[in-house]
Amino acid sequence: ADAAVSVLQAGGNAFDAVVAAGFASTVCEPGFTSLAGGGFLLARTADGRDRLVDFFVDTPGRGRPDGAPEPVFEEVAVSFAAAVQTFHCGPGSVAVPGVLGGYLHVQRELGRLPLAEVVAPAAALATNGVVVSPSQGADLALLRPILERTEASRAIFLPGGRLLAAGDLLHNPDLGAFLRRLGTDPHATFYEGPLAAALVDQLHAGGGLLTLDDLAAYRVIEREPLRASYRGRPFLTNPPPTFGGTLLSLALARFEALGTAPPAGSPGLAVALAEVM
C-alpha cells in the first residue's frame, strides 16, 4: 500500500499504483505472490471501458522432445491448524510464469509513469530489507518444507539456518538488482535472453518441464469481463476459462432467489449461505 501511495504522489495513475503495489508484494509477501506466479486484473479505465487482463500461468512443455525424462515432483506435507495437507513441489511443478508479463503489460498499456519509478519501491524493499509481518511469518512457517529445499531459497528465508519469523528483516538483493535493471530495460525479463536460458537450464537439470519455447510463446490475454447482476446492481467478474467468476455469479443468483438477505452476522445469514454453497 505504501508503494502505491508513493507512486500516486509522484503523479502516477491508479494502474501505476496497483502495479507498484504488485511488485512490492512480491518482495514483502513472498508466501502469497511471486513474479513467476499467475494472476488477473479487472479494470475500468477512465474512458469507461471494462477489461479483464489475464496473466495466469500457462502449461509448460512446448517443444519437449519425445523420450524426454519424466518431470520431477517432490511431495511435501504442510501442517495447517485443522489438517495436514500434501502438496507437490519441485521442478516439474513449475508452470509458465505470468505475473511479470501481466504487470509489464498493464503498466505499458494503462500506466502513466516511467517503469523505473513504478518498480523503485519494490527494488528498495528488496535491497534494504523489509520487516516480516505476522501473517507472512505464519505463512513462511507453513511453507517451510518448500522453502528449505534449495540452497538459494535457504539463503533468503533461512539465513544462518533459522527460518525468518515476524519482526525479522527479509533481504533479497538479487531481486532488487533485477527490478532496477528491469526499470531501465523492460525487455530484461525471464521470457527471453540470458535469464530465460538460465531459468530453463536450472529447471531442466532438476527435472522440470519449462522450455524456451514456453517462455517465448507466453502472451497476456485481454478478455471481456463476465457481466452479471445482484439485486438490481450490475457487477463484473472473471470470465471463462476460469471457474471462479461463473461460480460467484451462480452463487449470488441463488442467494438473491432466497429473498431478502438476513441481517449481517445473524444465524439466518449463515444458514442461507450454507444453502447456497
Side-chain angles (χ1 to χ4, degrees), residues 6-70:
S6 68
V7 165
L8 289 172
Q9 291 174 336
N13 63 15
F15 296 101
D16 292 314
V18 77
V19 171
F23 274 111
S25 74
T26 67
V27 178
C28 62
E29 298 180 329
F32 296 161
T33 183
S34 165
L35 294 180
F40 305 90
L41 177 80
L42 178 61
R44 169 166 288 174
T45 54
D47 60 5
R49 179 185 171 192
D50 301 316
R51 56 210 291 183
L52 189 286
V53 185
D54 179 346
F55 45 94
F56 200 63
V57 296
D58 200 1
T59 304
R62 286 175 176 82
R64 288 187 88 232
D66 292 338
E70 286 294 307

Side-chain angles (χ1 to χ4, degrees), residues 41-243:
L41 177 80
L42 178 61
R44 169 166 288 174
T45 54
D47 60 5
R49 179 185 171 192
D50 301 316
R51 56 210 291 183
L52 189 286
V53 185
D54 179 346
F55 45 94
F56 200 63
V57 296
D58 200 1
T59 304
R62 286 175 176 82
R64 288 187 88 232
D66 292 338
E70 286 294 307
V72 172
F73 296 91
E74 298 181 18
E75 184 175 298
V76 295
V78 176
S79 298
F80 294 95
V84 176
Q85 188 170 352
T86 298
F87 291 87
H88 291 84
C89 60
S93 71
V94 178
V96 187
V99 166
L100 178 58
Y103 287 173
L104 294 175
H105 175 91
V106 171
Q107 205 279 325
R108 180 177 63 250
E109 297 293 321
L110 300 172
R112 179 186 298 160
L113 293 180
L115 180 61
E117 294 187 43
V118 174
V119 301
L125 286 170
T127 302
N128 300 328
V130 59
V131 176
V132 177
S133 69
S135 64
Q136 281 303 294
D139 201 56
L140 296 181
L142 283 176
L143 297 176
R144 179 170 186 149
I146 298 174
L147 299 176
E148 62 187 4
R149 286 182 56 257
T150 68
E151 181 179 351
S153 181
R154 291 193 297 270
I156 297 171
F157 298 107
L158 289 91
R162 186 182 70 85
L163 181 69
L164 294 177
D168 290 336
L169 207 59
L170 170 73
H171 284 96
N172 196 336
D174 290 336
L175 179 56
F178 169 75
L179 290 171
R180 286 192 297 275
R181 182 183 175 197
L182 184 70
T184 61
D185 180 8
H187 296 288
T189 70
F190 44 60
Y191 293 103
E192 58 184 339
L195 283 180
L199 176 59
V200 169
D201 288 346
Q202 178 180 328
L203 290 171
H204 276 194
L209 291 166
L210 190 70
T211 68
L212 288 173
D213 289 347
D214 291 326
L215 295 171
Y218 185 81
R219 296 292 183 272
V220 175
I221 301 172
E222 293 219 11
R223 306 184 189 276
E224 282 294 314
L226 178 64
R227 301 174 186 275
S229 66
Y230 176 67
R231 300 190 187 277
R233 295 183 180 274
F235 73 89
L236 309 180
T237 185
N238 210 348
T242 63
F243 294 120

